[in-house]
Amino acid sequence: MRKFDEIVVGSGISGMTLALLLGMNGRSVLLLEKSSQIGGSMARFRRNGIPFDTGFHFTGGLYRNGVLHDMLTALGIDDLITPIYIRSPGGNRFVFEDEAMSVDLATGYQESVACLQECFPADSRAIGRYFEMVESVCRRTAGMDLRKSSFLPPFLDEDYVTLGDALDGLTGNRILKGLLAGFSMCHGVKPAEISFANHSRVSYEMHKSLARVEGGGDAFIQAFRRRSAGLDIETMTATHITDCVDVKNRRVGRFVLSSGEEVSCERCIFTIHPQEILKILPRDHLTRAFVERVTEFEPSVGIFSLYGVVERDDARGDREDDFAPSILSLFPTSNLDELIDPGHRGDQALVIMRSLEKANGKTYEVVNACEVSFVEHFRKWGDSSRGKRPAEYLEYKEQRAERIRERILGVYPEYRSSYKVMDSASPLTCKDYLNSPDGSAYGIKQKIGQFNLFGRLPLRNTYAAGQSAVLPGLVGAMMSSFILGRKLLE
């Protein structure tokens, strides 16, 4: 039986980050991935040789001394990640369809403040106050500064106030509230349910800068491969833990793998969905309270994605001037509590992203769209599997993809004859490919007053990290690994 210092379960961005941190500090690490390739939602796929993003599209914090830049620097891979900043006019546009109003957010924190104050002069003081509150939260959150060391950052007063209540206390302007809550699409939780503090932690770096990454999520995967070479990190794909045995004094003695091999370790860290962790840990060593706590976690929103490319007749090789990277958010209403609700009828919130992708010596104009979806909408097909979906589901998927295509062309009518849909994906697609229990986009909801699964679990040598632990998304998932990794290395 082989023994490792640590086993890391799940090779998404959190698992890769944690494996690197431990390996760089002389630990022997086994990184387990249930899928056939590492990377989780960071991994791209290709159609006709054209790369498309799955779960990673854009991020904040890549500027010098930004939280993401600092984490990449600590891992020694900052020079392997090339940001493509979204800076062009109209590069980050919000459109409120029911009010027939659009707002182009500026790049930069103070620039964002000035831009909104110019658009809403009557609410100038409220806008300034909002950004002061966001900055204050992030300044006092230890986990957002690698120079501070804290295992469990203390809760702030703002952790007990919802985003909705905070906005209601600042302004009655519903469009402005919709704009300030707009990055709720990056955590998938209603303003009435998420704390003002957690929304601030998610949105702060995105207000300061927005960027895509050259090579998308694959760039992070390749950086992990290069940095882990020579370290004592072994990666096993298409492999997962099936059983925890020889449990004594609340410590797992052996972990049985799907390959039949048994391994042991000093500590096993799960970076997967909490409900998947619950399936692995032996129930007779868990309290009813713990099981109920995990079972009651609710899924965040899901995403229905459309992947397409603009095929032009001309043979221009440089399209930088007229196809700059951009993000356009279409909100049918400014009420995000309504939009992030399974009961919402009509068009859903839609985020359209344009990017230039290079492959096979060619440059492609890629237009991807992510429409808010809900696991509840797909529950009747939940027992089906990829390649074996019922005709009813396939018809629904086709109709929804066509509707999204029409919405894209409504914004970009110049693509009417040139936009070609290459593929689409629903939450069920994510459920299958990412081994998620529900296919949600951000794991569990980050609800106010909720204690997520993070740190030590009921069995002493088992721990939890990942995007469901501290904050959702790339930055939140990596942050959880840094916080826990530092603690384990003490």
Side-chain angles (χ1 to χ4, degrees):
M1 179 175 65
R2 293 192 295 160
K3 177 176 174 59
F4 298 85
D5 291 325
E6 275 89 20
I7 296 174
V8 177
V9 181
S11 71
I13 192 62
S14 180
M16 290 189 292
T17 298
L18 191 53
L20 267 187
L21 280 173
L22 297 170
M24 289 165 59
N25 284 275
R27 311 293 290 182
S28 61
V29 182
L30 174 62
L31 180 62
L32 294 177
E33 173 53 54
K34 194 172 186 178
S35 297
S36 59
Q37 63 178 357
I38 66 170
S41 61
M42 300 298 290
R44 287 180 150 191
F45 72 95
R46 284 164 172 75
R47 291 291 180 269
N48 295 345
I50 306 170
F52 294 97
D53 297 307
T54 52
F56 172 70
H57 302 281
F58 57 87
T59 185
L62 276 174
Y63 61 93
R64 184 166 295 279
N65 296 326
V67 62
L68 180 52
H69 178 270
D70 282 353
M71 289 191 288
L72 296 175
T73 301
L75 294 174
I77 59 175
D78 56 300
D79 59 332
L80 302 177
I81 304 299
T82 304
I84 304 171
Y85 290 104
I86 298 172
R87 291 172 171 159
S88 62
N92 185 22
R93 176 172 295 173
F94 287 82
V95 177
F96 297 96
E97 296 175 302
D98 57 351
E99 282 92 0
M101 179 176 180
S102 66
V103 177
D104 292 337
L105 283 187
T107 299
Y109 206 71
Q110 295 305 320
E111 291 81 359
S112 295
V113 176
C115 169
L116 288 173
Q117 288 177 332
E118 182 178 348
C119 291
F120 304 94
D123 288 283
S124 179
R125 180 175 295 181
I127 293 166
R129 178 60 184 148
Y130 169 83
F131 282 93
E132 288 172 1
M133 291 163 61
V134 169
E135 189 169 27
S136 174
V137 164
C138 296
R139 187 177 61 251
R140 290 178 287 132
T141 300
M144 297 192 72
D145 187 345
L146 296 191
R147 298 158 189 82
K148 300 177 182 178
S149 179
S150 174
F151 173 56
L152 287 174
F155 283 98
L156 308 176
D157 290 344
E158 293 88 342
D159 282 297
Y160 301 98
V161 178
T162 68
L163 170 63
D165 285 343
L167 292 176
D168 287 343
L170 289 171
T171 179
N173 188 316
R174 65 180 186 274
I175 298 178
L176 177 58
K177 287 193 287 187
L179 276 168
L180 297 178
F183 283 129
S184 291
M185 294 302 162
C186 296
H187 54 66
V189 184
K190 297 178 183 179
E193 293 181 318
I194 194 166
S195 71
F196 179 81
N198 268 356
H199 178 79
S200 298
R201 293 165 184 142
V202 171
S203 63
Y204 177 65
E205 294 286 0
M206 293 186 183
H207 281 300
K208 298 188 81 169
S209 74
L210 272 177
R212 294 182 56 79
V213 168
E214 186 176 304
D218 279 354
F220 292 85
I221 299 171
Q222 296 306 316
F224 166 77
R225 291 186 187 278
R226 287 184 58 178
R227 187 68 178 91
S228 61
L231 300 178
D232 195 359
I233 300 174
E234 179 179 342
T235 300
M236 296 178 66
T237 56
T239 308
H240 60 280
I241 295 174
T242 60
D243 203 2
C244 303
V245 296
D246 193 20
V247 180
K248 297 177 181 178
N249 298 320
R250 290 178 43 231
R251 293 182 64 89
V252 179
R254 292 172 289 136
F255 295 88
V256 182
L257 307 183
S258 56
S259 63
E261 182 181 2
E262 294 186 0
V263 294
S264 64
C265 63
E266 184 178 335
R267 288 167 296 212
C268 179
I269 306 103
F270 297 91
T271 66
I272 56 179
H273 194 287
Q275 291 181 17
E276 294 300 301
I277 299 175
L278 195 60
K279 293 176 183 178
I280 296 172
L281 299 180
R283 286 295 182 98
D284 54 344
H285 290 276
L286 305 177
T287 65
R288 176 189 289 184
F290 178 82
V291 173
E292 289 180 350
R293 173 185 163 202
V294 177
T295 303
E296 290 174 0
F297 287 150
E298 300 174 41
S300 71
V301 299
I303 296 294
F304 192 104
S305 300
L306 196 70
Y307 308 98
V309 62
V310 176
E311 296 183 330
R312 304 204 197 194
D313 293 331
D314 61 83
R316 286 176 303 148
D318 184 2
R319 305 180 186 278
E320 301 285 345
D321 293 337
D322 64 344
F323 204 86
S326 65
I327 303 169
L328 190 151
S329 301
L330 288 180
F331 290 170
T333 172
S334 55
N335 186 338
L336 268 73
D337 281 323
E338 179 181 331
L339 289 179
I340 309 178
D341 190 300
H344 175 68
R345 296 293 177 263
D347 286 335
Q348 304 287 348
L350 180 70
V351 180
I352 304 170
M353 292 154 290
R354 302 193 306 169
S355 64
L356 288 171
E357 303 294 344
K358 297 180 180 180
N360 306 319
K362 298 180 180 179
T363 299
Y364 298 93
E365 298 177 347
V366 171
V367 180
N368 294 336
C370 294
E371 186 175 69
V372 168
S373 190
F374 299 93
V375 297
E376 291 87 348
H377 295 168
F378 297 86
R379 196 151 279 156
K380 60 181 175 180
W381 304 305
D383 292 333
S384 65
S385 60
R386 182 165 31 105
K388 300 179 181 179
R389 307 286 190 208
E392 181 186 22
Y393 165 81
L394 297 176
E395 182 180 357
Y396 170 86
K397 187 180 178 185
E398 183 178 349
Q399 291 176 351
R400 186 159 184 179
E402 178 58 26
R403 174 55 188 156
I404 294 175
R405 177 180 177 274
E406 286 301 314
R407 294 183 72 189
I408 293 172
L409 297 178
V411 178
Y412 298 108
E414 64 270 27
Y415 301 155
R416 173 65 62 179
S417 61
S418 58
Y419 182 64
K420 181 180 179 181
V421 174
M422 305 297 287
D423 210 339
S424 63
S426 77
L428 290 187
T429 314
C430 297
K431 177 182 177 182
D432 284 354
Y433 277 98
L434 302 178
N435 300 298
S436 162
D438 47 39
S440 59
Y442 304 106
I444 64 172
K445 279 185 180 180
Q446 304 285 329
K447 294 182 66 174
I448 191 169
Q450 175 175 285
F451 292 95
N452 297 343
L453 216 57
F454 181 48
R456 180 174 284 174
L457 297 174
L459 297 174
R460 290 179 177 175
N461 58 338
T462 61
Y463 296 78
Q467 79 159 342
S468 293
V470 177
L471 288 173
L474 171 76
V475 172
M478 291 182 68
M479 190 185 302
S480 77
S481 293
F482 266 88
I483 295 171
L484 180 58
R486 284 180 162 182
K487 182 66 177 179
L488 297 180
L489 291 167
E490 286 181 354

